[in-house]
Amino acid sequence: MKTTIKIQGMHCEGCVKRIENVLSKIKGIDNFKVSLEEQTITLEVKKENIIEDIKAKIEAIGFNVKQ
Ligand SMILES: [Cu+2]
């Protein structure tokens, strides 16, 4: 399934890289795209239940998840 997560607190490419780095280590994500401009992460996951885990990991590195 494809989903979009709105986040707050990305300021630059460095922030994007930090998030990409976290996402790349989570198993079960097929595709992802981090948009600095839109402050969103669009991703495709195998199972819906990993979304909470993804949000928690993004918050753990200092960003706010808005949804
Ligand atoms: Cu930054």
Side-chain angles (χ1 to χ4, degrees):
M1 64 168 285
K2 205 172 179 182
T3 187
T4 301
I5 297 172
K6 276 199 153 288
I7 66 167
Q8 232 171 3
M10 279 195 290
H11 310 293
C12 65
E13 279 305 316
C15 295
V16 172
K17 288 269 148 52
R18 282 167 66 209
I19 291 172
E20 284 176 347
N21 193 38
V22 164
L23 294 175
S24 67
K25 286 176 186 157
I26 302 172
K27 289 193 173 70
I29 302 176
D30 289 329
N31 271 303
F32 64 82
K33 186 178 183 294
V34 181
S35 171
L36 179 60
E37 202 171 303
E38 292 170 19
Q39 298 278 298
T40 57
I41 302 166
T42 305
L43 35 78
E44 230 172 294
V45 295
K46 287 184 173 59
K47 287 180 184 170
E48 201 172 343
N49 62 12
I50 72 163
I51 293 171
E52 287 309 312
D53 182 40
I54 292 167
K55 288 179 182 175
K57 285 186 169 136
I58 291 167
E59 288 190 326
I61 59 163
F63 299 95
N64 289 322
V65 175
K66 280 168 81 182
Q67 102 199 349

